[in-house]
Amino acid sequence: MTIQVDKAGSTNGFNGISWRSAARSAWRAVEPVVRNSAAIVIFLLIWEMAPRLDLINRTFLPPFSEVIVKGAEYAWAGELLPQILVSVGRAAGGFALGVATAIPLGLLLGWYRPLESYLNPLLQLLRQTNPVSLFPAFILFFGIGYLTNVVIIYWVVVWPLLLATVNGVRQADPALIKYARSVGLPDRQIFLKVVLPSAVPSIITGARLAATYSFLMLVVSEMVGATSGLGYLIVNAQYLLSIHLLYVGVIVLALLGIASNWGLVALERRLTAWKQDIRS
């Protein structure tokens, strides 16, 4: 009695193992993309199908594909880009002004406790003031136009940046500061080489929050007295019952917010590359 080896079966088994290994490798490659996009894809599918199935009145919520087509037509006509540039200019102006004032002031308040004890009551009072309630006052001081939009955006940007900067300075590792002083480093070098790098992640977190606030307040500021910008586009579309354009403005604002967040995350990774060097 002889035993014959089934070479074909052996080959098939090997191919099965290879196929499963290839499938696992492919899934590992695409899994981050699926994880990051699955919820968005499902949301957009619901947006597309709900009006078409009469689950939602399409007068108030048109299908997503129709909104995209209308946005493409509006952009092709050369009318969307100018509105985007005007809004980005206002938001960037207020954000840059907030960065230029909040971060230096936050570094001073976090490093010099006596200064913080004197200024903190006033800053807390100002921080609790509703920016919308200040809008009429800003219009009286600066008139209706670009400057008022920038100032109101600056007002909502400066506070999260200021608080995040102060907290970042205070969260510096006391052991590292004591060690730096024990080796004779002056306070200036300690601040530049120990405190400031450790505060960067907190500052970037505050900047991301401030960027979100800037686009939120941008819409509010452009709804009053503005004759251009995405906020004006949204309000004007509401008055004209152009619902598709209304959602185009909303989508563009969301994309601008995502882009600014990605940019700040990339900046954080670049500025905190030393963390990766320490861990590796």
Side-chain angles (χ1 to χ4, degrees):
M1 180 179 178
T2 60
I3 300 176
Q4 296 181 352
V5 178
D6 188 354
K7 296 182 178 180
S10 175
T11 303
N12 290 337
F14 178 75
N15 288 338
I17 295 174
S18 300
W19 182 87
R20 286 194 295 270
S21 177
R24 284 194 296 267
S25 300
W27 171 248
R28 282 195 296 269
V30 302
E31 191 268 339
V33 177
V34 174
R35 182 178 64 249
N36 294 328
S37 61
I40 296 177
V41 171
I42 293 172
F43 170 76
L44 295 179
L45 285 175
I46 294 174
W47 184 352
E48 177 70 24
M49 298 307 300
R52 296 187 182 279
L53 298 176
D54 293 328
L55 300 177
I56 298 177
N57 191 336
R58 62 192 302 156
T59 303
F60 305 115
L61 183 66
F64 177 72
S65 59
E66 294 182 5
V67 174
I68 295 301
V69 170
K70 184 65 176 181
E73 293 174 353
Y74 194 67
W76 185 257
E79 299 182 22
L80 181 59
L81 183 59
Q83 309 288 1
I84 295 175
L85 294 178
V86 168
S87 292
V88 169
R90 290 167 178 161
F95 184 81
L97 188 60
V99 169
T101 56
I103 293 180
L105 180 59
L107 294 174
L108 286 174
L109 294 176
W111 186 244
Y112 297 107
R113 294 296 181 92
L115 178 63
E116 190 270 342
S117 64
Y118 280 103
L119 292 182
N120 186 61
L122 175 61
L123 294 175
Q124 292 298 328
L125 176 64
L126 295 176
R127 187 172 70 89
Q128 299 303 326
T129 306
N130 191 309
V132 178
S133 66
L134 291 174
F135 212 118
F138 289 148
I139 292 176
L140 290 175
F141 277 100
F142 305 108
I144 296 177
Y146 173 81
L147 188 56
T148 299
N149 298 131
V150 169
V151 170
I152 195 68
I153 292 171
Y154 163 77
W155 188 264
V156 300
V157 163
V158 69
W159 304 115
L161 267 172
L162 180 62
L163 295 177
T165 304
V166 172
N167 289 334
V169 172
R170 290 180 178 174
Q171 290 173 1
D173 191 345
L176 289 178
I177 295 176
K178 290 180 180 179
Y179 175 77
R181 283 178 175 156
S182 69
V183 297
L185 285 180
D187 285 348
R188 180 175 176 273
Q189 292 296 321
I190 293 173
F191 179 79
L192 292 176
K193 295 184 177 181
V194 178
V195 176
L196 187 57
S198 66
V200 167
S202 180
I203 294 173
I204 296 297
T205 300
R208 293 169 64 184
L209 188 60
T212 301
Y213 288 168
S214 69
F215 285 109
L216 292 176
M217 189 51 61
L218 173 68
V219 177
V220 177
S221 65
E222 290 180 341
M223 285 181 176
V224 181
T227 57
S228 60
L230 294 172
Y232 168 77
L233 172 65
I234 293 172
V235 173
N236 193 49
Q238 178 188 0
Y239 289 151
L240 298 177
L241 295 180
S242 182
I243 305 302
H244 292 78
L245 274 183
L246 186 152
Y247 286 107
V248 168
V250 172
I251 292 173
V252 172
L253 280 171
L255 293 177
L256 290 175
I258 293 172
S260 64
N261 183 70
W262 282 350
L264 289 170
V265 169
L267 177 63
E268 180 182 10
R269 290 174 180 170
R270 185 177 182 84
L271 294 178
T272 59
W274 55 272
K275 286 187 175 181
Q276 302 300 326
D277 294 338
I278 291 175
R279 293 172 183 173
S280 59

Short mmCIF file of all heavy atoms in Angstrom, two decimals, residues 83-96 145-151 153-154 214 218 221-223 225-232:
data_model
loop_
_atom_site.label_atom_id
_atom_site.label_comp_id
_atom_site.label_asym_id
_atom_site.label_seq_id
_atom_site.Cartn_x
_atom_site.Cartn_y
_atom_site.Cartn_z
N GLN A 83 -16.04 85.25 -2.73
CA GLN A 83 -16.66 85.20 -1.41
C GLN A 83 -15.75 84.46 -0.42
O GLN A 83 -15.61 84.87 0.75
CB GLN A 83 -18.02 84.48 -1.49
CG GLN A 83 -18.96 85.00 -2.55
CD GLN A 83 -19.54 86.36 -2.21
OE1 GLN A 83 -19.23 86.95 -1.18
NE2 GLN A 83 -20.38 86.88 -3.08
N ILE A 84 -15.12 83.39 -0.88
CA ILE A 84 -14.21 82.63 -0.02
C ILE A 84 -13.01 83.48 0.37
O ILE A 84 -12.60 83.52 1.54
CB ILE A 84 -13.76 81.34 -0.73
CG1 ILE A 84 -14.95 80.40 -0.95
CG2 ILE A 84 -12.67 80.63 0.07
CD1 ILE A 84 -14.60 79.15 -1.74
N LEU A 85 -12.42 84.17 -0.60
CA LEU A 85 -11.24 84.98 -0.32
C LEU A 85 -11.53 86.11 0.66
O LEU A 85 -10.72 86.41 1.54
CB LEU A 85 -10.68 85.55 -1.64
CG LEU A 85 -10.12 84.52 -2.63
CD1 LEU A 85 -9.64 85.20 -3.90
CD2 LEU A 85 -9.00 83.71 -1.99
N VAL A 86 -12.70 86.73 0.52
CA VAL A 86 -13.07 87.80 1.45
C VAL A 86 -13.21 87.25 2.87
O VAL A 86 -12.68 87.83 3.83
CB VAL A 86 -14.39 88.47 0.99
CG1 VAL A 86 -14.95 89.37 2.09
CG2 VAL A 86 -14.16 89.29 -0.27
N SER A 87 -13.88 86.13 3.01
CA SER A 87 -14.07 85.54 4.34
C SER A 87 -12.76 85.06 4.94
O SER A 87 -12.49 85.26 6.13
CB SER A 87 -15.06 84.38 4.26
OG SER A 87 -16.37 84.84 3.96
N VAL A 88 -11.92 84.42 4.12
CA VAL A 88 -10.63 83.95 4.62
C VAL A 88 -9.77 85.13 5.05
O VAL A 88 -9.06 85.07 6.07
CB VAL A 88 -9.91 83.11 3.55
CG1 VAL A 88 -8.47 82.84 3.94
CG2 VAL A 88 -10.64 81.79 3.33
N GLY A 89 -9.83 86.24 4.30
CA GLY A 89 -9.07 87.42 4.69
C GLY A 89 -9.51 87.97 6.03
O GLY A 89 -8.67 88.35 6.87
N ARG A 90 -10.81 88.01 6.27
CA ARG A 90 -11.31 88.50 7.55
C ARG A 90 -10.94 87.56 8.69
O ARG A 90 -10.48 88.00 9.75
CB ARG A 90 -12.83 88.67 7.48
CG ARG A 90 -13.28 89.82 6.59
CD ARG A 90 -14.76 89.75 6.28
NE ARG A 90 -15.19 90.88 5.45
CZ ARG A 90 -16.31 90.89 4.76
NH1 ARG A 90 -17.12 89.83 4.76
NH2 ARG A 90 -16.64 91.96 4.05
N ALA A 91 -11.15 86.28 8.48
CA ALA A 91 -10.82 85.31 9.54
C ALA A 91 -9.32 85.29 9.81
O ALA A 91 -8.90 85.24 10.97
CB ALA A 91 -11.30 83.91 9.14
N ALA A 92 -8.51 85.33 8.77
CA ALA A 92 -7.06 85.31 8.95
C ALA A 92 -6.59 86.58 9.64
O ALA A 92 -5.66 86.53 10.49
CB ALA A 92 -6.36 85.16 7.60
N GLY A 93 -7.20 87.73 9.33
CA GLY A 93 -6.82 88.97 9.98
C GLY A 93 -7.09 88.94 11.47
O GLY A 93 -6.22 89.29 12.29
N GLY A 94 -8.29 88.50 11.85
CA GLY A 94 -8.62 88.40 13.28
C GLY A 94 -7.78 87.37 13.99
O GLY A 94 -7.34 87.59 15.13
N PHE A 95 -7.53 86.24 13.33
CA PHE A 95 -6.73 85.18 13.95
C PHE A 95 -5.28 85.62 14.13
O PHE A 95 -4.69 85.39 15.18
CB PHE A 95 -6.80 83.92 13.08
CG PHE A 95 -6.09 82.74 13.66
CD1 PHE A 95 -6.71 81.96 14.63
CD2 PHE A 95 -4.82 82.40 13.26
CE1 PHE A 95 -6.06 80.86 15.17
CE2 PHE A 95 -4.16 81.31 13.79
CZ PHE A 95 -4.79 80.53 14.76
N ALA A 96 -4.71 86.26 13.12
CA ALA A 96 -3.33 86.72 13.22
C ALA A 96 -3.17 87.77 14.31
O ALA A 96 -2.19 87.76 15.07
CB ALA A 96 -2.87 87.28 11.87
N GLY A 145 -17.76 97.40 8.22
CA GLY A 145 -16.78 97.06 7.20
C GLY A 145 -15.79 96.03 7.70
O GLY A 145 -16.02 95.32 8.68
N TYR A 146 -14.64 96.00 7.01
CA TYR A 146 -13.63 94.96 7.27
C TYR A 146 -13.11 95.03 8.70
O TYR A 146 -12.94 93.99 9.36
CB TYR A 146 -12.49 95.15 6.27
CG TYR A 146 -11.29 94.26 6.53
CD1 TYR A 146 -11.29 92.93 6.11
CD2 TYR A 146 -10.16 94.74 7.19
CE1 TYR A 146 -10.20 92.12 6.34
CE2 TYR A 146 -9.07 93.93 7.43
CZ TYR A 146 -9.09 92.62 7.00
OH TYR A 146 -8.02 91.81 7.24
N LEU A 147 -12.84 96.22 9.20
CA LEU A 147 -12.22 96.35 10.51
C LEU A 147 -13.11 95.79 11.61
O LEU A 147 -12.63 95.13 12.54
CB LEU A 147 -11.88 97.81 10.79
CG LEU A 147 -11.05 98.09 12.05
CD1 LEU A 147 -9.76 97.30 12.01
CD2 LEU A 147 -10.78 99.58 12.19
N THR A 148 -14.40 96.07 11.53
CA THR A 148 -15.33 95.53 12.54
C THR A 148 -15.35 94.01 12.51
O THR A 148 -15.36 93.36 13.56
CB THR A 148 -16.74 96.08 12.30
OG1 THR A 148 -16.71 97.51 12.42
CG2 THR A 148 -17.72 95.53 13.32
N ASN A 149 -15.36 93.43 11.31
CA ASN A 149 -15.34 91.97 11.21
C ASN A 149 -14.07 91.39 11.83
O ASN A 149 -14.12 90.38 12.54
CB ASN A 149 -15.42 91.54 9.74
CG ASN A 149 -16.70 91.97 9.06
OD1 ASN A 149 -16.69 92.54 7.98
ND2 ASN A 149 -17.84 91.71 9.69
N VAL A 150 -12.93 92.03 11.58
CA VAL A 150 -11.67 91.55 12.12
C VAL A 150 -11.66 91.67 13.64
O VAL A 150 -11.21 90.75 14.35
CB VAL A 150 -10.49 92.33 11.50
CG1 VAL A 150 -9.19 92.03 12.24
CG2 VAL A 150 -10.34 91.97 10.04
N VAL A 151 -12.14 92.78 14.17
CA VAL A 151 -12.12 93.00 15.61
C VAL A 151 -13.01 92.01 16.33
O VAL A 151 -12.62 91.45 17.39
CB VAL A 151 -12.53 94.46 15.95
CG1 VAL A 151 -12.74 94.63 17.44
CG2 VAL A 151 -11.47 95.43 15.45
N ILE A 153 -13.85 89.02 15.35
CA ILE A 153 -13.20 87.71 15.28
C ILE A 153 -12.02 87.66 16.25
O ILE A 153 -11.80 86.66 16.95
CB ILE A 153 -12.75 87.42 13.84
CG1 ILE A 153 -13.97 87.23 12.94
CG2 ILE A 153 -11.86 86.19 13.79
CD1 ILE A 153 -13.65 87.16 11.46
N TYR A 154 -11.27 88.75 16.31
CA TYR A 154 -10.16 88.83 17.25
C TYR A 154 -10.64 88.61 18.69
O TYR A 154 -9.97 87.94 19.48
CB TYR A 154 -9.48 90.19 17.12
CG TYR A 154 -8.60 90.55 18.29
CD1 TYR A 154 -7.34 89.99 18.42
CD2 TYR A 154 -9.02 91.44 19.26
CE1 TYR A 154 -6.52 90.31 19.50
CE2 TYR A 154 -8.21 91.77 20.33
CZ TYR A 154 -6.97 91.20 20.45
OH TYR A 154 -6.17 91.51 21.52
N SER A 214 -13.11 81.36 15.19
CA SER A 214 -13.01 82.44 14.21
C SER A 214 -13.98 82.23 13.06
O SER A 214 -14.61 83.20 12.59
CB SER A 214 -11.57 82.53 13.67
OG SER A 214 -11.24 81.41 12.87
N LEU A 218 -17.15 84.45 12.23
CA LEU A 218 -17.11 85.04 10.89
C LEU A 218 -18.50 85.11 10.29
O LEU A 218 -18.90 86.14 9.71
CB LEU A 218 -16.19 84.20 10.00
CG LEU A 218 -16.16 84.58 8.51
CD1 LEU A 218 -15.51 85.94 8.32
CD2 LEU A 218 -15.42 83.51 7.71
N SER A 221 -20.50 87.84 12.03
CA SER A 221 -20.07 89.18 11.67
C SER A 221 -20.49 89.55 10.25
O SER A 221 -20.79 90.72 9.97
CB SER A 221 -18.55 89.30 11.82
OG SER A 221 -17.88 88.46 10.89
N GLU A 222 -20.49 88.58 9.35
CA GLU A 222 -20.86 88.88 7.96
C GLU A 222 -22.36 88.90 7.74
O GLU A 222 -22.82 89.29 6.67
CB GLU A 222 -20.21 87.85 7.03
CG GLU A 222 -18.70 88.00 6.92
CD GLU A 222 -18.08 86.98 6.00
OE1 GLU A 222 -18.72 85.94 5.71
OE2 GLU A 222 -16.94 87.21 5.55
N MET A 223 -23.10 88.47 8.73
CA MET A 223 -24.55 88.55 8.62
C MET A 223 -25.08 89.95 8.88
O MET A 223 -26.25 90.24 8.61
CB MET A 223 -25.20 87.56 9.60
CG MET A 223 -25.11 86.11 9.17
SD MET A 223 -25.91 85.00 10.35
CE MET A 223 -25.75 83.44 9.50
N GLY A 225 -24.40 93.84 8.12
CA GLY A 225 -23.72 94.95 7.45
C GLY A 225 -22.77 94.57 6.35
O GLY A 225 -22.27 95.45 5.65
N ALA A 226 -22.46 93.30 6.16
CA ALA A 226 -21.51 92.90 5.13
C ALA A 226 -22.23 92.73 3.79
O ALA A 226 -23.41 92.37 3.74
CB ALA A 226 -20.81 91.61 5.51
N THR A 227 -21.52 92.99 2.73
CA THR A 227 -22.07 92.81 1.38
C THR A 227 -21.28 91.76 0.60
O THR A 227 -21.45 91.65 -0.62
CB THR A 227 -22.05 94.14 0.62
OG1 THR A 227 -20.71 94.63 0.56
CG2 THR A 227 -22.95 95.16 1.30
N SER A 228 -20.45 91.02 1.29
CA SER A 228 -19.67 89.96 0.66
C SER A 228 -19.24 88.97 1.72
O SER A 228 -19.35 89.24 2.92
CB SER A 228 -18.44 90.55 -0.06
OG SER A 228 -17.61 91.22 0.86
N GLY A 229 -18.74 87.83 1.28
CA GLY A 229 -18.30 86.81 2.22
C GLY A 229 -19.28 85.66 2.30
O GLY A 229 -20.42 85.74 1.83
N LEU A 230 -18.83 84.58 2.92
CA LEU A 230 -19.66 83.38 3.01
C LEU A 230 -20.85 83.58 3.94
O LEU A 230 -21.94 83.03 3.71
CB LEU A 230 -18.80 82.21 3.50
CG LEU A 230 -17.70 81.76 2.53
CD1 LEU A 230 -16.79 80.74 3.19
CD2 LEU A 230 -18.32 81.18 1.26
N GLY A 231 -20.67 84.35 5.02
CA GLY A 231 -21.80 84.65 5.89
C GLY A 231 -22.88 85.43 5.16
O GLY A 231 -24.07 85.14 5.29
N TYR A 232 -22.45 86.42 4.37
CA TYR A 232 -23.41 87.17 3.55
C TYR A 232 -24.07 86.25 2.53
O TYR A 232 -25.29 86.37 2.28
CB TYR A 232 -22.68 88.31 2.84
CG TYR A 232 -23.50 88.97 1.76
CD1 TYR A 232 -24.50 89.87 2.07
CD2 TYR A 232 -23.26 88.68 0.41
CE1 TYR A 232 -25.26 90.47 1.07
CE2 TYR A 232 -24.00 89.27 -0.59
CZ TYR A 232 -24.99 90.16 -0.26
OH TYR A 232 -25.74 90.75 -1.25
#
